Amino acid sequence: MNGYERRKQKKIEQIFSASIELFFKYGFQKVSVNEIAYKANVSPATIYNYFGTKEQLYTDSLINWLDKQLEQYENILSSELSFVEKTKKIMLLEANNLKILADEFPKFPSADLRGLIQMMDGYNEQKVVPFFKKYVALGKQEGFIRKDQTEEIMMRYFTLFQNELVRKWEGSSQKQTTENMDQLMELFFYGVAGQPQLQE
């Protein structure tokens, strides 16, 4: 990468960082390209030159944000933590991220919401599902997931827990949910009639 490309990449990262912060805080409709440009320390012309439209900037910024969250999950999965600790950290991060997205989607123009949902569906299929397959394979390899369980069933099971975490992920419940993660992990891996203590 030469000097020009490095400078361009740095500007794009500044734009992504500024736009996602402002979009998440105020919503798509209430944020202008000029405000993003000012926060990113670039000109509005630079933003239009790189992204064309505000809608495209939003989509690209959201994908960039999703990629960064997924990178965190990948780092956790490849870490030296036990599989139980990996699951706990990934679940808590995912619950927080799903809450952010649930708050964000109603702020997006309803006319464009279908396209946004399609983009999210495509992202899940191309990037999230392959990650989850790696997660399940590692869990089976380490003996925490039964080998006869399919990836589809495990994803549905994981989603059940995630939905409950997201539902509780507000105010004081967030702290309580975090404190109860050890019990949730025992339920996740062994069910209500499983082993009384989780061995890591």
Side-chain angles (χ1 to χ4, degrees), residues 4-25:
Y4 169 78
E5 289 169 337
R6 277 197 299 273
R7 287 192 299 275
K8 179 179 177 181
Q9 192 56 43
K10 185 181 176 185
K11 282 183 183 178
I12 288 173
E13 285 299 325
Q14 288 170 210
I15 294 166
F16 280 152
S17 177
S19 62
I20 211 70
E21 181 184 335
L22 292 171
F23 284 141
F24 279 0
K25 188 172 182 180

Side-chain angles (χ1 to χ4, degrees), residues 76 82-92 135 158 162 181 185 188-189:
I76 292 168
S82 70
F83 189 73
V84 174
E85 282 298 316
K86 290 175 182 180
T87 300
K88 187 190 300 187
K89 282 183 172 291
I90 290 169
M91 266 197 185
L92 287 170
Y135 166 83
F158 191 93
Q162 284 306 114
M181 277 304 287
M185 287 299 95
F188 181 80
F189 286 109

Side-chain angles (χ1 to χ4, degrees), residues 4-200:
Y4 169 78
E5 289 169 337
R6 277 197 299 273
R7 287 192 299 275
K8 179 179 177 181
Q9 192 56 43
K10 185 181 176 185
K11 282 183 183 178
I12 288 173
E13 285 299 325
Q14 288 170 210
I15 294 166
F16 280 152
S17 177
S19 62
I20 211 70
E21 181 184 335
L22 292 171
F23 284 141
F24 279 0
K25 188 172 182 180
Y26 300 110
F28 176 82
Q29 290 176 305
K30 292 185 178 178
V31 177
S32 71
V33 169
N34 284 353
E35 288 169 321
I36 294 168
Y38 179 79
K39 188 164 187 64
N41 199 28
V42 299
S43 71
T46 298
I47 291 178
Y48 286 116
N49 186 40
Y50 290 161
F51 300 98
T53 65
K54 180 179 159 185
E55 288 77 10
Q56 189 61 50
L57 170 61
Y58 180 91
T59 300
D60 290 352
S61 297
L62 185 58
I63 289 173
N64 179 264
W65 181 82
L66 290 168
D67 283 344
K68 286 180 176 173
Q69 308 317 304
L70 193 57
E71 185 179 352
Q72 286 188 67
Y73 301 165
E74 294 276 8
N75 290 339
I76 292 168
L77 198 62
S78 62
S79 73
E80 296 299 316
L81 293 170
S82 70
F83 189 73
V84 174
E85 282 298 316
K86 290 175 182 180
T87 300
K88 187 190 300 187
K89 282 183 172 291
I90 290 169
M91 266 197 185
L92 287 170
L93 270 174
E94 179 71 352
N96 185 53
N97 290 337
L98 288 173
K99 178 69 172 64
I100 289 170
L101 291 173
D103 289 345
E104 176 61 16
F105 273 32
K107 300 175 192 169
F108 199 71
S110 56
D112 299 318
L113 196 54
R114 179 178 287 184
L116 184 61
I117 291 170
Q118 286 176 341
M119 183 275 288
M120 290 295 295
D121 287 344
Y123 187 91
N124 285 335
E125 191 66 32
Q126 292 170 17
K127 297 188 178 182
V128 177
V129 170
F131 168 79
F132 195 80
K133 286 180 178 180
K134 280 200 293 188
Y135 166 83
V136 172
L138 183 63
K140 288 181 177 182
Q141 180 186 321
E142 296 192 12
F144 284 96
I145 297 175
R146 279 173 29 194
K147 294 191 185 296
D148 62 336
Q149 294 293 347
T150 65
E151 292 159 349
E152 181 186 359
I153 290 296
M154 279 307 304
M155 186 171 280
R156 288 169 69 182
Y157 184 65
F158 191 93
T159 302
L160 287 172
F161 274 76
Q162 284 306 114
N163 289 341
E164 180 61 16
L165 283 174
V166 172
R167 196 173 68 81
K168 297 275 188 184
W169 206 246
E170 292 179 0
S172 59
S173 296
Q174 180 176 336
K175 184 180 178 204
Q176 184 180 358
T177 301
T178 304
E179 289 171 352
N180 293 339
M181 277 304 287
D182 289 336
Q183 286 180 305
L184 283 170
M185 287 299 95
E186 286 208 14
L187 286 171
F188 181 80
F189 286 109
Y190 300 119
V192 293
Q195 296 173 230
Q197 288 189 340
L198 190 59
Q199 300 296 317
E200 293 187 18

